[in-house]
């Protein structure tokens, strides 16, 4: 099936065949659970990335009814799950492909110290990041909360102009031992967060208190001695409000992205 229209908001989306999102305009899929079982969801490929904007929005909270699985890892709620399937004892693999536009080097270092109030960053190399994109500037103090998220106004080579001034100082400095046998570099890292393909945990009133975001699980399991494999392939995909606090167990990993029993 080719998705070439905007679908309505869904409760659940079960994919047993194949859905390819047509790259002709921006698209949004919103549901509480998306389950791919022996099927395929394709949003671009590694060779032909998706060029428009695509958002997969996963909605729900702690009270959202989850998706139980027979003899398989729990799919949970507010989740995108990829499982193999078994048809007449023939294993059928499941696939998820999500590939956004490559904006070049995603992480660089500061080439010179940026002071609080500065609206420009000079980077260690040229970048091709888009105006309006969001970046992160790491802390260089003992306080991790001095890490800042900023918005790009424009980019000219290695100079990034911001839409507002920095709140904190971010260093780019080096010091050497007296005999020059060792040099220590302290340079803030700057990374591009924004991508045109996104998986989003839909925000709700108690989001910050519950810390209940989107979950992506790529899982293969053994059904009566038959391995039912699944594959998740991502490049240049942004995760927004992802991960579910309080479930660190290996049998039910609710991280932003987990591969479980997926083999090689």
């Amino acid at each position: 099936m080719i998705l070439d229209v905007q679908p309505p908001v869904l409760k659940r989306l079960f994919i047993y065949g194949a859905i390819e999102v047509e790259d002709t305009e921006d698209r949004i899929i919103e549901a509480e659970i998306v389950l791919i079982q022996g099927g395929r969801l394709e949003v671009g490929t590694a060779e032909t990335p998706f060029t428009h904007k695509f958002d997969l929005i996963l909605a729900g909270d702690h009270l959202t009814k989850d998706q139980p699985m027979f003899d398989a890892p729990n799919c949970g709620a507010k989740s995108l799950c990829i499982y193999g399937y078994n048809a007449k004892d023939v294993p059928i693999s499941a696939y998820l492909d999500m590939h956004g536009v490559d904006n070049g080097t995603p992480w660089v270092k500061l080439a010179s110290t940026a002071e609080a109030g500065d609206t420009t960053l000079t980077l260690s190399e040229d970048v091709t990041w888009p105006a309006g994109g969001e970046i992160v500037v790491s802390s260089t103090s003992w306080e991790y909360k001095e890490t800042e998220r900023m918005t790009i106004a424009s980019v000219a080579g290695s100079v990034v102009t911001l839409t507002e001034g920095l709140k904190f100082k971010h260093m780019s400095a080096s010091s050497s031992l007296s005999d020059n046998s060792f040099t220590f570099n302290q340079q803030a890292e700057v990374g591009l967060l924004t991508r045109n393909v996104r998986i989003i945990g839909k925000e709700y009133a108690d989001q910050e208190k519950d810390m209940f975001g989107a979950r992506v699980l790529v899982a293969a399991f053994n059904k009566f001695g038959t391995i039912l494999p699944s594959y998740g392939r991502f490049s240049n995909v942004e995760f927004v409000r992802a991960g579910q606090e309080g479930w660190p167990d290996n049998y039910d990993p609710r991280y932003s992205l987990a591969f479980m029993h997926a083999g090689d």
Side-chain angles (χ1 to χ4, degrees), residues 131-165:
E134 189 179 42
I135 60 172
V136 60
V137 187
S138 71
S139 170
T140 51
S141 75
W142 293 106
E143 178 51 72
Y144 76 92
K145 291 184 179 180
E146 291 186 5
T147 295
E148 300 189 65
R149 294 170 67 151
M150 310 298 293
T151 301
I152 298 172
S154 63
V155 174
S158 62
V159 178
V160 175
T161 301
L162 308 173
T163 58
E164 57 183 326

Side-chain angles (χ1 to χ4, degrees), residues 200-234:
I200 301 172
K202 188 173 183 178
E203 197 167 16
Y204 62 97
D206 293 328
Q207 177 77 48
E208 290 302 309
K209 178 173 69 73
D210 293 346
M211 300 298 286
F212 194 79
R215 174 201 195 190
V216 180
L217 176 64
V218 184
F221 58 99
N222 188 325
K223 186 173 183 180
F224 307 125
T226 301
I227 302 298
L228 309 179
S230 58
Y231 302 90
R233 298 178 291 208
F234 306 84

Side-chain angles (χ1 to χ4, degrees), residues 250-261:
N250 288 334
Y251 66 85
D252 189 13
R254 300 198 184 187
Y255 309 116
S256 301
L257 172 62
F259 289 82
M260 190 171 182
H261 308 314

Side-chain angles (χ1 to χ4, degrees), residues 144-199:
Y144 76 92
K145 291 184 179 180
E146 291 186 5
T147 295
E148 300 189 65
R149 294 170 67 151
M150 310 298 293
T151 301
I152 298 172
S154 63
V155 174
S158 62
V159 178
V160 175
T161 301
L162 308 173
T163 58
E164 57 183 326
L166 296 164
K167 294 180 180 179
F168 306 104
K169 179 179 180 178
H170 300 270
M171 293 181 59
S172 178
S174 61
S175 57
S176 301
L177 297 177
S178 57
D179 61 358
N180 293 320
S181 60
F182 179 78
T183 299
F184 175 75
N185 297 306
Q186 186 178 20
Q187 296 172 279
E189 290 189 291
V190 184
L192 178 68
L193 299 177
T194 301
R195 300 293 189 275
N196 67 306
V197 174
R198 305 188 298 173
I199 297 174

Side-chain angles (χ1 to χ4, degrees), residues 122-140:
T122 302
L123 308 180
S124 58
E125 58 184 275
D126 291 354
V127 293
T128 56
W129 299 344
E134 189 179 42
I135 60 172
V136 60
V137 187
S138 71
S139 170
T140 51

